[in-house]
Amino acid sequence: MKVMILGADGYLGWPLALRLMAKGHDVIGVDNFATRKSVEEVGSDSAIPILGMPDRVRAAKDIHGYKMKFHEGDITKYEFLHKVIKEERPDTVVHFAEQRSAPYSMINAKHASYTMSNNIIGTINLVYAIMELDPKIHVVKMATMGEYGTPNFDIPESAFVDADINGKTDRITTPKFGGSWYHWTKVHDTNNLLFANKVWKITTTNIFQGPVYGTRTKEITDEKLHSRFDFDEVWGTVVNRFCAEAVLGIPLTAYGAGGQIRGYLSLEDSMEALNLLIENPAQRGEHRTANQFVELLSINDIADIVKKAAKKQGIDIEVQHLDNPRVEADRHYYNPKIKVLPDLGFKPKLKMADLAPQLIKDLIPYRQRIERFRDRIMPHTQWRRVENAR
Ligand code: USQ
């Protein structure tokens, strides 16, 4: 299969390129290196050093014999995206090329509008290019579990639900309530994909993935093949942050009461799940919704797991409960359904408690490098504004 990955330089994009090549697929990467620039903009860097793309491609060839093609460019420029898809004619386009940080989107108006335009325009351009060039191409789009918010009902794995409004029934789109401007861009993308499917029968798999953690996949066998690893308050996600904090001896930064529950999965399990969804495409003309996570855990559960994992590495670490910089429920019901991936044979390999000690071990050699960005750990980006603080 020929697979184009938009966002091939990212935390998920690079390991997915390696996984697909390991499975014998042809991979064409596309990226404009926006994440590298935006992490630098907030004064941080990947905890684990990563090579530039030409060196990454060379290392994949030298170490595993994989041959990957790469195009540098911005998919919000329609002519560029249209040209690469026309030239390469992939069977599948994986769309990861979005601004993926909730805090980054909440910094100020400039960052919110960049997130909105970058994410929504990129997705619109993709569905137009596919409609014009070949609607048979399978679009695999990274959505997020965060689109649903934390509702007091079971989260379905479906784009539509039955609703009864004042005695009249109809199918309506599954209710969503994002927790940041970033999460709302994903909601808007989902709506736009549904409309593209309705009018042009674009074949889509929309993946509602929870937060991913980890440093390793089966193919990351050499330091030249590492994926980026962010840990600062803007770009780091909670599990990776806690592990980096443990390495620096900073008490783990649980926001609020720590009862926030999400569906987590390791980088390796994410790759396996994505590979299954790519190798088993949606039916022609179908809009398929897949929820993607392995374990439902609260922030307090994660703090406990990382604290124990750190202990195994000889690090004693405390947990601090900070005023939550976000506006979110920190005690709530959470029960998302998951059936599509298990039906495809998805069997998660690793639980967080098994993987966390290794994750911390992998970061220890980079302690000094992470130390340089110690002042980027504590949360500064506030959801609330002074004038409406509650
Ligand atoms: N949190 C802490 N302490 C920290 C950092 C985060 O308690 O030091 C809490 C947050 O308040 C939140 C939870 O951890 O309740 C998750 O936050 P996160 O920063 O790990 O993840 P989030 O902002 O939701 O976004 C990440 C990725 C995003 C992806 C999403 C999946 O950046 O691209 O879409 O995870 S999900 O969370 O299911 O929406």
Side-chain angles (χ1 to χ4, degrees):
M1 196 183 273
K2 200 168 181 183
V3 186
M4 178 175 282
I5 303 176
L6 309 177
D9 190 50
Y11 178 55
L12 300 176
W14 174 245
L16 183 64
L18 296 174
R19 172 59 45 90
L20 293 173
M21 291 189 286
K23 298 270 180 184
H25 302 296
D26 293 331
V27 173
I28 304 115
V30 175
D31 209 296
N32 66 347
F33 306 118
T35 301
R36 289 185 191 239
K37 291 170 204 155
S38 304
V39 174
E40 196 182 325
E41 177 204 331
V42 303
S44 189
D45 200 352
S46 169
I48 298 177
I50 51 170
L51 297 179
M53 186 50 81
D55 291 330
R56 283 184 144 177
V57 170
R58 207 168 302 122
K61 181 150 189 299
D62 294 346
I63 295 161
H64 292 306
Y66 304 155
K67 272 194 224 157
M68 176 177 160
K69 269 183 97 170
F70 181 76
H71 298 268
E72 180 175 350
D74 180 351
I75 69 158
T76 67
K77 308 286 178 259
Y78 187 67
E79 293 68 28
F80 165 75
L81 183 64
H82 190 276
K83 186 167 163 282
V84 285
I85 296 178
K86 190 172 178 190
E87 203 175 300
E88 301 289 356
R89 291 280 168 176
D91 303 297
T92 305
V93 177
V94 178
H95 180 18
F96 290 166
E98 297 206 327
Q99 193 294 89
R100 55 139 166 108
S101 159
Y104 190 84
S105 75
M106 299 298 293
I107 292 175
N108 58 22
K110 188 172 142 230
H111 291 78
S113 69
Y114 161 72
T115 307
M116 287 283 161
S117 60
N118 183 72
N119 294 4
I120 296 168
I121 293 172
T123 299
I124 278 289
N125 282 349
L126 177 61
V127 290
Y128 259 93
I130 283 184
M131 179 271 289
E132 286 182 3
L133 291 166
D134 183 358
K136 290 195 297 304
I137 296 173
H138 180 208
V139 175
V140 175
K141 163 74 168 55
M142 185 52 74
T144 171
M145 282 301 294
E147 290 182 38
Y148 300 119
T150 53
N152 204 29
F153 52 79
D154 294 351
I155 295 172
E157 194 177 24
S158 165
F160 295 96
V161 289
D162 293 322
D164 179 331
I165 299 176
N166 297 332
K168 300 275 281 174
T169 57
D170 206 344
R171 294 284 281 166
I172 59 167
T173 54
T174 301
K176 310 261 169 44
F177 209 100
S180 70
W181 296 123
Y182 152 75
H183 286 96
W184 279 104
T185 66
K186 296 279 192 178
V187 178
H188 302 324
D189 282 344
T190 291
N191 288 332
N192 292 345
L193 288 176
L194 282 172
F195 186 67
N197 174 263
K198 178 174 175 173
V199 292
W200 302 323
K201 299 278 169 269
I202 304 269
T203 306
T204 328
T205 297
N206 204 29
I207 304 171
F208 290 75
Q209 184 170 244
V212 179
Y213 60 91
T215 46
R216 292 180 179 218
T217 66
K218 275 187 276 190
E219 295 75 26
I220 301 180
T221 53
D222 186 287
E223 61 178 14
K224 288 188 180 146
L225 297 176
H226 276 146
S227 197
R228 59 175 312 109
F229 186 99
D230 295 296
F231 59 96
D232 63 81
E233 58 112 7
V234 175
W235 291 96
T237 52
V238 64
V239 186
N240 290 353
R241 271 170 63 68
F242 280 9
C243 291
E245 289 166 0
V247 168
L248 292 188
I250 296 175
L252 309 180
T253 55
Y255 295 168
Q260 304 92 309
I261 302 170
R262 303 285 183 271
Y264 294 86
L265 73 168
S266 70
L267 192 57
E268 170 58 34
D269 281 334
S270 170
M271 294 305 113
E272 210 44 43
L274 291 165
N275 181 64
L276 275 171
L277 293 169
I278 292 164
E279 289 188 344
N280 300 279
Q283 300 291 315
R284 175 92 197 271
E286 182 194 3
H287 177 101
R288 176 172 65 172
T289 296
N291 290 346
Q292 184 162 307
F293 57 88
V294 169
E295 287 174 278
L296 299 182
L297 296 167
S298 72
I299 296 301
N300 290 333
D301 295 332
I302 297 168
D304 197 42
I305 288 170
V306 173
K307 191 176 153 80
K308 287 188 179 130
K311 184 94 185 148
K312 286 191 182 151
Q313 303 301 330
I315 303 169
D316 275 318
I317 202 75
E318 295 302 317
V319 179
Q320 52 182 326
H321 283 271
L322 303 173
D323 281 347
N324 197 334
R326 305 184 181 199
V327 176
E328 62 183 358
D330 57 11
R331 279 190 193 90
H332 58 87
Y333 182 77
Y334 199 62
N335 188 21
K337 298 295 169 194
I338 179 162
K339 187 170 183 315
V340 172
L341 276 164
D343 283 355
L344 289 175
F346 177 56
K347 288 198 181 56
K349 282 195 230 41
L350 299 157
K351 290 280 172 72
M352 195 184 290
D354 306 321
L355 203 130
Q358 182 66 56
L359 207 172
I360 294 171
K361 202 172 170 189
D362 284 348
L363 293 178
I364 289 172
Y366 303 107
R367 185 181 272 142
Q368 279 191 335
R369 183 180 161 93
I370 307 173
E371 187 67 54
R372 284 173 27 222
F373 305 102
R374 174 181 278 271
D375 66 337
R376 302 305 302 136
I377 297 272
M378 295 306 277
H380 295 295
T381 311
Q382 293 287 334
W383 267 227
R384 291 179 182 84
R385 295 296 143 153
V386 176
E387 55 275 20
N388 71 358
R390 274 172 284 151

